PDB file of all heavy atoms in Angstrom:
ATOM      1  N   SER A 214     -19.022 -33.625  -4.127  1.00  0.00           N
ATOM      2  CA  SER A 214     -17.768 -32.952  -4.431  1.00  0.00           C
ATOM      3  C   SER A 214     -17.588 -31.697  -3.561  1.00  0.00           C
ATOM      4  O   SER A 214     -16.508 -31.458  -2.996  1.00  0.00           O
ATOM      5  CB  SER A 214     -17.723 -32.577  -5.912  1.00  0.00           C
ATOM      6  OG  SER A 214     -16.539 -31.869  -6.222  1.00  0.00           O
ATOM      7  N   ASN A 215     -18.661 -30.920  -3.436  1.00  0.00           N
ATOM      8  CA  ASN A 215     -18.591 -29.707  -2.608  1.00  0.00           C
ATOM      9  C   ASN A 215     -18.375 -30.046  -1.138  1.00  0.00           C
ATOM     10  O   ASN A 215     -17.597 -29.364  -0.439  1.00  0.00           O
ATOM     11  CB  ASN A 215     -19.875 -28.885  -2.763  1.00  0.00           C
ATOM     12  CG  ASN A 215     -19.999 -28.268  -4.143  1.00  0.00           C
ATOM     13  OD1 ASN A 215     -18.992 -28.025  -4.815  1.00  0.00           O
ATOM     14  ND2 ASN A 215     -21.226 -28.007  -4.578  1.00  0.00           N
ATOM     15  N   MET A 216     -19.064 -31.081  -0.673  1.00  0.00           N
ATOM     16  CA  MET A 216     -18.905 -31.490   0.727  1.00  0.00           C
ATOM     17  C   MET A 216     -17.485 -31.980   1.002  1.00  0.00           C
ATOM     18  O   MET A 216     -16.903 -31.677   2.047  1.00  0.00           O
ATOM     19  CB  MET A 216     -19.914 -32.583   1.071  1.00  0.00           C
ATOM     20  CG  MET A 216     -21.366 -32.118   1.093  1.00  0.00           C
ATOM     21  SD  MET A 216     -21.684 -30.876   2.354  1.00  0.00           S
ATOM     22  CE  MET A 216     -21.347 -31.801   3.832  1.00  0.00           C
ATOM     23  N   GLU A 217     -16.919 -32.728   0.053  1.00  0.00           N
ATOM     24  CA  GLU A 217     -15.552 -33.221   0.229  1.00  0.00           C
ATOM     25  C   GLU A 217     -14.543 -32.070   0.211  1.00  0.00           C
ATOM     26  O   GLU A 217     -13.564 -32.071   0.958  1.00  0.00           O
ATOM     27  CB  GLU A 217     -15.231 -34.249  -0.857  1.00  0.00           C
ATOM     28  CG  GLU A 217     -15.960 -35.582  -0.643  1.00  0.00           C
ATOM     29  CD  GLU A 217     -15.845 -36.507  -1.837  1.00  0.00           C
ATOM     30  OE1 GLU A 217     -15.334 -36.041  -2.887  1.00  0.00           O
ATOM     31  OE2 GLU A 217     -16.272 -37.672  -1.734  1.00  0.00           O
ATOM     32  N   LYS A 218     -14.814 -31.070  -0.665  1.00  0.00           N
ATOM     33  CA  LYS A 218     -13.945 -29.891  -0.671  1.00  0.00           C
ATOM     34  C   LYS A 218     -14.058 -29.127   0.642  1.00  0.00           C
ATOM     35  O   LYS A 218     -13.059 -28.654   1.188  1.00  0.00           O
ATOM     36  CB  LYS A 218     -14.302 -28.973  -1.839  1.00  0.00           C
ATOM     37  CG  LYS A 218     -13.891 -29.503  -3.208  1.00  0.00           C
ATOM     38  CD  LYS A 218     -14.311 -28.541  -4.318  1.00  0.00           C
ATOM     39  CE  LYS A 218     -13.911 -29.087  -5.692  1.00  0.00           C
ATOM     40  NZ  LYS A 218     -14.363 -28.179  -6.783  1.00  0.00           N
ATOM     41  N   SER A 219     -15.281 -29.013   1.134  1.00  0.00           N
ATOM     42  CA  SER A 219     -15.488 -28.326   2.409  1.00  0.00           C
ATOM     43  C   SER A 219     -14.784 -29.057   3.542  1.00  0.00           C
ATOM     44  O   SER A 219     -14.187 -28.437   4.434  1.00  0.00           O
ATOM     45  CB  SER A 219     -16.988 -28.213   2.711  1.00  0.00           C
ATOM     46  OG  SER A 219     -17.639 -27.440   1.728  1.00  0.00           O
ATOM     47  N   LEU A 220     -14.863 -30.404   3.497  1.00  0.00           N
ATOM     48  CA  LEU A 220     -14.187 -31.195   4.526  1.00  0.00           C
ATOM     49  C   LEU A 220     -12.674 -31.023   4.431  1.00  0.00           C
ATOM     50  O   LEU A 220     -11.977 -30.907   5.452  1.00  0.00           O
ATOM     51  CB  LEU A 220     -14.581 -32.663   4.378  1.00  0.00           C
ATOM     52  CG  LEU A 220     -14.043 -33.622   5.450  1.00  0.00           C
ATOM     53  CD1 LEU A 220     -14.561 -33.216   6.824  1.00  0.00           C
ATOM     54  CD2 LEU A 220     -14.429 -35.062   5.132  1.00  0.00           C
ATOM     55  N   GLU A 221     -12.164 -30.995   3.197  1.00  0.00           N
ATOM     56  CA  GLU A 221     -10.722 -30.787   3.001  1.00  0.00           C
ATOM     57  C   GLU A 221     -10.305 -29.404   3.516  1.00  0.00           C
ATOM     58  O   GLU A 221      -9.268 -29.255   4.161  1.00  0.00           O
ATOM     59  CB  GLU A 221     -10.381 -30.926   1.520  1.00  0.00           C
ATOM     60  CG  GLU A 221      -8.895 -30.813   1.224  1.00  0.00           C
ATOM     61  CD  GLU A 221      -8.591 -30.960  -0.257  1.00  0.00           C
ATOM     62  OE1 GLU A 221      -9.540 -31.216  -1.034  1.00  0.00           O
ATOM     63  OE2 GLU A 221      -7.422 -30.796  -0.643  1.00  0.00           O
ATOM     64  N   LEU A 222     -11.134 -28.388   3.202  1.00  0.00           N
ATOM     65  CA  LEU A 222     -10.844 -27.039   3.685  1.00  0.00           C
ATOM     66  C   LEU A 222     -10.897 -26.980   5.208  1.00  0.00           C
ATOM     67  O   LEU A 222     -10.090 -26.286   5.846  1.00  0.00           O
ATOM     68  CB  LEU A 222     -11.843 -26.052   3.079  1.00  0.00           C
ATOM     69  CG  LEU A 222     -11.655 -24.572   3.433  1.00  0.00           C
ATOM     70  CD1 LEU A 222     -10.299 -24.085   2.957  1.00  0.00           C
ATOM     71  CD2 LEU A 222     -12.766 -23.736   2.821  1.00  0.00           C
ATOM     72  N   LEU A 223     -11.841 -27.710   5.793  1.00  0.00           N
ATOM     73  CA  LEU A 223     -11.945 -27.755   7.246  1.00  0.00           C
ATOM     74  C   LEU A 223     -10.681 -28.362   7.850  1.00  0.00           C
ATOM     75  O   LEU A 223     -10.162 -27.868   8.869  1.00  0.00           O
ATOM     76  CB  LEU A 223     -13.178 -28.562   7.652  1.00  0.00           C
ATOM     77  CG  LEU A 223     -13.463 -28.646   9.157  1.00  0.00           C
ATOM     78  CD1 LEU A 223     -13.809 -27.273   9.703  1.00  0.00           C
ATOM     79  CD2 LEU A 223     -14.593 -29.622   9.442  1.00  0.00           C
ATOM     80  N   HIS A 224     -10.171 -29.428   7.214  1.00  0.00           N
ATOM     81  CA  HIS A 224      -8.922 -30.038   7.697  1.00  0.00           C
ATOM     82  C   HIS A 224      -7.758 -29.066   7.596  1.00  0.00           C
ATOM     83  O   HIS A 224      -6.895 -29.002   8.487  1.00  0.00           O
ATOM     84  CB  HIS A 224      -8.623 -31.309   6.893  1.00  0.00           C
ATOM     85  CG  HIS A 224      -9.566 -32.434   7.194  1.00  0.00           C
ATOM     86  ND1 HIS A 224      -9.810 -33.466   6.305  1.00  0.00           N
ATOM     87  CD2 HIS A 224     -10.346 -32.687   8.273  1.00  0.00           C
ATOM     88  CE1 HIS A 224     -10.677 -34.302   6.842  1.00  0.00           C
ATOM     89  NE2 HIS A 224     -11.019 -33.848   8.032  1.00  0.00           N
ATOM     90  N   LYS A 225      -7.728 -28.273   6.499  1.00  0.00           N
ATOM     91  CA  LYS A 225      -6.670 -27.278   6.358  1.00  0.00           C
ATOM     92  C   LYS A 225      -6.808 -26.183   7.409  1.00  0.00           C
ATOM     93  O   LYS A 225      -5.817 -25.699   7.955  1.00  0.00           O
ATOM     94  CB  LYS A 225      -6.708 -26.657   4.958  1.00  0.00           C
ATOM     95  CG  LYS A 225      -6.233 -27.592   3.858  1.00  0.00           C
ATOM     96  CD  LYS A 225      -6.225 -26.892   2.506  1.00  0.00           C
ATOM     97  CE  LYS A 225      -5.700 -27.815   1.420  1.00  0.00           C
ATOM     98  NZ  LYS A 225      -5.699 -27.162   0.084  1.00  0.00           N
ATOM     99  N   ASN A 226      -8.075 -25.795   7.686  1.00  0.00           N
ATOM    100  CA  ASN A 226      -8.301 -24.772   8.705  1.00  0.00           C
ATOM    101  C   ASN A 226      -7.857 -25.249  10.081  1.00  0.00           C
ATOM    102  O   ASN A 226      -7.395 -24.456  10.903  1.00  0.00           O
ATOM    103  CB  ASN A 226      -9.776 -24.364   8.740  1.00  0.00           C
ATOM    104  CG  ASN A 226     -10.174 -23.529   7.530  1.00  0.00           C
ATOM    105  OD1 ASN A 226      -9.325 -22.935   6.874  1.00  0.00           O
ATOM    106  ND2 ASN A 226     -11.465 -23.482   7.241  1.00  0.00           N
ATOM    107  N   LYS A 227      -7.995 -26.551  10.321  1.00  0.00           N
ATOM    108  CA  LYS A 227      -7.522 -27.102  11.593  1.00  0.00           C
ATOM    109  C   LYS A 227      -6.009 -26.978  11.709  1.00  0.00           C
ATOM    110  O   LYS A 227      -5.481 -26.844  12.802  1.00  0.00           O
ATOM    111  CB  LYS A 227      -7.946 -28.568  11.712  1.00  0.00           C
ATOM    112  CG  LYS A 227      -9.436 -28.754  11.921  1.00  0.00           C
ATOM    113  CD  LYS A 227      -9.821 -30.225  11.936  1.00  0.00           C
ATOM    114  CE  LYS A 227      -9.273 -30.933  13.158  1.00  0.00           C
ATOM    115  NZ  LYS A 227      -9.732 -32.331  13.220  1.00  0.00           N
TER     116      LYS A 227
END
Side-chain angles (χ1 to χ4, degrees):
S214 177
N215 291 334
M216 292 297 296
E217 288 170 352
K218 288 179 181 178
S219 298
L220 185 61
E221 184 180 357
L222 182 61
L223 183 65
H224 290 156
K225 288 183 178 179
N226 288 339
K227 289 176 68 176

